[in-house]
């Protein structure tokens, strides 16, 4: 729905390759499939495949393009899709790293030292990935685009306190509200 608000290029950051494959399957059979193209990150992309993926974003305005990528991967930072090359970013999840022995040791350490083990081992690194993904859409003062955070946890105070001051979140409860908010956003930012 968000990508249908305006013809443009969009990146959707997903929590894992498994989740990405599920979304890919849904897009393949979407009832309005003829209205958009999509490109998908694959595991182990080399520089040539990365550039091929990004080159799809050079065209804009004719047909909507949806790029599917994994949060925290090679598309999370270090890419500049300025101007009309990117109209919005949708981030699914809060970016939590996978549980690992190293993360658990870190969690125990910070729990003992500061009483905030989960935060330092998982929440803060995850939110850093969220901020990096959100940063793909606004790369210069002239860029216009939206960031859509898709997870109920963003409504909780422990995540809201992490939002940068310049973020002005609008909480949406249903598709109609999303549609209305995006229509208003684009009406205020016509190029």
């Amino acid at each position: 729905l968000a990508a249908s608000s305006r013809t443009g290029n969009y990146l959707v950051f997903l929590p894992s390759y498994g989740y990405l494959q599920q979304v890919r399957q849904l897009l393949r059979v979407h009832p309005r499939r003829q209205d958009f193209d999509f490109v998908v990150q694959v595991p182990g992309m080399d520089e040539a495949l990365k550039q091929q993926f990004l080159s799809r974003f050079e065209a804009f305005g004719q047909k909507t393009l949806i790029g599917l990528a994994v949060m925290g991967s090679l598309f999370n930072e270090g890419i500049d899709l300025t101007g009309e090359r990117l109209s919005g970013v949708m981030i699914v999840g809060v970016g939590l790293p996978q549980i690992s022995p190293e993360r658990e040791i870190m969690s125990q350490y910070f729990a003992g030292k500061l009483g905030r083990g989960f935060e330092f081992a998982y929440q803060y690194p995850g939110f850093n990935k969220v901020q990096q993904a959100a940063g793909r859409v606004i790369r210069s003062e002239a860029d216009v685009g939206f960031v859509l955070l898709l997870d109920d946890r963003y409504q909780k105070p422990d995540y809201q306190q992490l939002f940068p001051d310049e973020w002005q979140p609008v909480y949406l409860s249903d598709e109609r509200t999303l549609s209305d908010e995006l229509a208003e956003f684009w009406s205020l930012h016509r190029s």
Side-chain angles (χ1 to χ4, degrees), residues 2 10 20 22 36 50 54-55 58 78 83 91 98 115 118 132 136 138 147-148 159 164 179 190:
Y10 300 90
L20 184 147
Q22 291 176 18
F36 62 88
K50 176 185 176 184
L54 292 172
S55 71
E58 296 299 322
I91 302 169
Q98 290 185 348
F118 175 79
Q132 289 172 331
R136 297 310 93 216
I138 304 296
V147 175
L148 190 60
Y159 276 95
S179 179
R190 293 196 194 278

Side-chain angles (χ1 to χ4, degrees), residues 63-120:
K63 189 173 188 177
T64 291
L65 174 68
I66 301 171
L68 302 179
V70 174
M71 194 175 346
S73 68
L74 59 132
F75 295 110
N76 222 59
E77 60 182 315
I79 61 167
D80 292 322
L81 299 171
T82 56
E84 295 287 325
R85 293 172 35 194
L86 193 59
S87 298
V89 169
M90 291 155 258
I91 302 169
V92 178
V94 293
L96 296 178
Q98 290 185 348
I99 295 173
S100 69
E102 294 83 8
R103 292 257 171 224
E104 286 303 302
I105 291 169
M106 185 185 304
S107 180
Q108 290 171 10
Y109 174 80
F110 284 109
K113 283 282 193 192
L114 304 170
R116 301 184 64 91
F118 175 79
E119 292 87 342
F120 279 95

Side-chain angles (χ1 to χ4, degrees), residues 12 23 40 42 54 56 80 88 93 117 153 162:
V12 180
V23 171
V40 179
V42 296
L54 292 172
R56 296 287 306 276
D80 292 322
R153 290 173 282 189
L162 300 176

Side-chain angles (χ1 to χ4, degrees), residues 50-62:
K50 176 185 176 184
Q51 291 309 315
Q52 185 179 353
F53 180 101
L54 292 172
S55 71
R56 296 287 306 276
F57 290 84
E58 296 299 322
F60 49 86
Q62 307 303 317

